[in-house]
Every structure is written in C-alpha cells, then in structure tokens.
C-alpha cells in the first residue's frame, strides 16, 4: 500500500456547444496536480495551494479537493484515515476549462489510489459532482465525468446518473483559446434563462442527437453542422470579446465547429488534424491581441486516459 501519490487530472471542454450539462471531452493539457500523503492522524488537511494567486480557500470544508476527499472517506467508512494535500494549479481559474473539476478529480483519484483503487473512476463521479456543487452551486457532471473517464462523454441522465463514453474520430484535435477575462461559472449559469421555447428545444435536441451520431459515424460534416447552440450561446457569448469574429475566423480556417468551452470565456474549435488546430489557435490569439487581451492557447487531441499517477 502506498503512503503518498502525485496525480495529474486533465482540463475538459464541457457542453461541446449544443449539449449544455450533458456533453464534454477531456484534453491532454492543461490540467492540475495533487500530491497526497498519509499522515497517521485522522482528518483531511490542505497544506498548500500553488498557482491560484491566493484565490482558493485553504479551509478543508470549503475547498472542493479536500471536501470531496473527506466525502469519499466518509462513504467508504474510513474516517480513521488522515491525509495532507498539496494542490498545484497548472491551469487558469474561472476559464471554462473545468478548473475546479481538474483539481477535484485529481484529489479523488489520489485518495482512491491510496485506498488501493476501492472504487472505479466511474464510481468517483458522484463525489466529484459534490465538489462542483461547492464550486459553482450546481453539481453538473459534464466536466468531472470526462476528466475522470477520459474521452468524450454523454450524461444521458442525472437522476439516476447515467454516463456514457462516446467514440470519436481518432485524428480529431481541439484548438482552445482562453482570453484572460474572468467568467465564474456561477455567474455564467445565472445569466441563462430557465424557460425555453419548444421550437428552440427541438433545434437543440436535433443538434445533440446529430453531434452524437456524427461522433459514432466519424462524420465531420455532421459533427460540424450539429455544433449549434440556440439556448445558451446567444446569452453567454456577450461575455466573450469578439466571439462571432473568432467563430468566423476559425470556420474560415477549416474548423469543424466552434463554440464556448464550458461556461467560458475560453473558446474552442474542433479540427480534423493538429496543424489546423495550431493555425486556428494562433489566429484567435492574434484577434484577441488586437483588442489588447492576453490569452493562452492549447492544442490537444481528445485525452483518452483521464487522471494519471505521476509519481
Ligand atoms: N455545463 C456547465 C455550464 C459547464 O455550462 O455551466 C461549466 O464548465
């Protein structure tokens, strides 16, 4: 049995444009790291957070990593266990890239590794959802499920939880750009209308079914024409500088589809290869530079592994 472990968990792109709260995929980078050590004294301590510019709580009840680890230990009946946690944030907070999810998933994967993999990654999802609830007020699974399972994931149902791994074209890449403006998920959720028109619902579920079919059929054309969101994007895009200009740029340069990553402000494009993803990332970053907005760019295939033990 191990006494300590270092874990990496990946960032994720939730919603994938049309699938608000029900679709997401993981990427290879960025992501967060957690180091966890057994202490011999019952209780979960958060001893260090780096890379957060002092923004995350060190109080173990308020931090999503320690709170979900505590919840896991209670669930498996091991409140006698004591651990200390270091969280190393390697990705921006409030970016729409599943920042809280990557931290929480790294913590849960670490404790589960120390407990000899008592639960499967899929069984860890409900614990990670509790972490999301703490972070943004709602326990959505479209970041934590792909972060834990890797790949492309569908949340078919929340009650009961039914999570499905989807296939995807092997050569598919994501171009991701994070404009350095902060959009907390909590605020970005509050701005969405809770009532929708039936005709918009019809458009949306047609697109969700189209996107899932396109992934199964490895049909880029179908994937692209299904990446349309009439429910959330019209409102949230207001928060993202030059959103529609960036979309036009990405599509002109060969993107399969383009949209907001999670609750934003990051945007992403799916592409048919790495080169196109690189070209699009640079051109979106240039567009933002023209507005005097700094940005970070990431190019990645869909991550197949989920969290991994580094040490
Ligand atoms: N589905 C969530 C939302 C993802 O759009 O609010 C948050 O990253």
């Amino acid at each position: 049995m191990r006494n300590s472990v270092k874990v990496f968990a990946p960032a994720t792109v939730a919603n994938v444009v049309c699938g608000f709260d029900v679709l997401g995929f993981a990427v290879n980078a960025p992501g967060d790291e957690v180091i966890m050590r057994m202490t011999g004294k019952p209780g979960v301590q958060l001893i260090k957070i780096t890379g957060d510019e002092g923004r995350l709580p060190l109080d173990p009840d308020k931090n999503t990593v320690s709170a979900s680890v505590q919840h896991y230990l209670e669930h498996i009946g091991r409140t006698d266990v004591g651990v200390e946690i270091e969280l190393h944030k390697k990705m921006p907070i409030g970016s729409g890239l599943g920042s809280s999810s990557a931290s929480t998933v790294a913590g849960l994967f670490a404790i589960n590794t120390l407990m000899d993999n008592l639960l499967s990654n899929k069984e860890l999802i409900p614990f990670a959802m509790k972490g999301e609830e703490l972070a943004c007020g709602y326990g959505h699974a479209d970041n934590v499920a792909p972060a834990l399972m890797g790949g492309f994931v569908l949340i078919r149902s929340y009650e009961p939880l039914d999570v499905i791994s989807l296939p995807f074209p092997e050569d598919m890449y994501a171009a991701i750009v994070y404009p350095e403006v902060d959009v907390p998920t909590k605020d970005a959720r509050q701005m969405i209308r809770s009532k929708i028109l039936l005709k918009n619902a019809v458009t949306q579920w047609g697109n969700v079914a189209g996107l899932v079919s396109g992934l199964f059929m490895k049909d880029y054309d179908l994937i692209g024409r299904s990446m349309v969101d009439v429910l959330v994007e019209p409102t949230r895009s207001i928060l993202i500088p030059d959103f529609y200009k960036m979309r036009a740029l990405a599509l002109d340069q060969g993107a399969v589809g383009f949209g907001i990553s999670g609750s934003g402000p990051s945007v992403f494009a799916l592409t048919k290869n790495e080169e196109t993803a690189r070209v699009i990332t640079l051109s979106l970053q240039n567009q933002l530079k023209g507005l005097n907005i700094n940005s970070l760019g990431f190019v990645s295939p869909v991550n197949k592994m989920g969290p991994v033990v580094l040490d």
Side-chain angles (χ1 to χ4, degrees), residues 14-15 20-21 140 142-143 185 189 236 262-263:
N15 300 338
F20 180 71
D21 279 357
H140 60 96
D142 49 343
N143 291 113
T185 298
R189 290 187 78 87
R236 280 185 173 170
S263 54

Side-chain angles (χ1 to χ4, degrees), residues 37-271:
R37 296 180 205 92
M38 305 281 264
T39 58
K41 185 173 144 249
V44 177
Q45 296 171 60
L46 192 56
I47 57 164
K48 189 182 201 177
I49 305 179
T50 63
D52 71 325
E53 290 159 358
R55 291 173 60 187
L56 298 177
L58 265 167
D59 178 342
D61 295 329
K62 296 202 176 116
N63 188 287
T64 62
V65 182
S66 38
S68 50
V69 168
Q70 181 66 40
H71 182 216
Y72 168 96
L73 288 172
E74 281 161 17
H75 175 85
I76 64 163
R78 291 297 310 272
T79 45
D80 58 307
V81 168
V83 289
E84 58 179 31
I85 300 171
E86 288 181 23
L87 167 62
H88 299 287
K89 294 260 359 134
K90 308 260 171 165
M91 58 183 290
I93 297 169
S95 56
L97 293 171
S99 176
S100 58
S101 155
S103 305
T104 306
V105 164
L108 283 167
F109 191 74
I111 189 68
N112 198 44
T113 304
L114 294 180
M115 295 294 111
D116 283 337
N117 297 307
L118 202 60
L119 302 184
S120 68
N121 283 12
K122 201 169 182 177
E123 286 169 330
L124 294 176
I125 296 172
F127 302 96
M129 286 169 68
K130 283 269 181 201
E132 292 293 71
E133 198 176 331
L134 193 61
C136 81
Y138 182 74
H140 60 96
D142 49 343
N143 291 113
V144 294
L148 274 164
M149 293 166 64
F152 223 110
V153 167
L154 165 71
I155 323 299
R156 203 241 1 129
S157 155
Y158 275 83
E159 286 179 29
L161 189 63
D162 189 4
V163 178
I164 323 281
S165 282
L166 300 174
F168 51 87
E170 285 292 317
D171 42 9
M172 191 164 77
Y173 261 76
I176 299 174
V177 172
Y178 163 56
E180 291 186 1
V181 290
D182 201 2
V183 175
T185 298
K186 202 172 191 166
D187 300 347
R189 290 187 78 87
Q190 275 164 0
M191 67 191 294
I192 306 169
R193 291 205 187 109
S194 56
K195 292 209 169 109
I196 59 171
L197 292 175
L198 183 61
K199 75 172 178 114
N200 285 342
V202 170
T203 304
Q204 200 83 3
W205 59 56
N207 282 327
V208 173
L211 176 49
V212 171
S213 305
L215 290 169
F216 268 91
M217 294 157 71
K218 308 198 189 314
D219 179 338
Y220 278 121
D221 223 49
L222 178 55
I223 292 172
R225 64 180 191 273
S226 304
M227 286 172 68
V228 174
D229 173 12
V230 294
L231 298 181
V232 178
E233 184 182 283
T235 315
R236 280 185 173 170
S237 56
I238 297 164
L239 300 175
I240 300 167
D242 272 0
F243 177 79
Y244 290 101
K245 280 190 187 154
M246 287 198 284
R247 173 150 79 187
L249 267 176
L251 294 176
D252 273 358
Q253 283 164 333
V256 172
F258 173 89
I260 305 172
S261 174
S263 54
S266 291
V267 292
F268 79 103
L270 289 181
T271 66

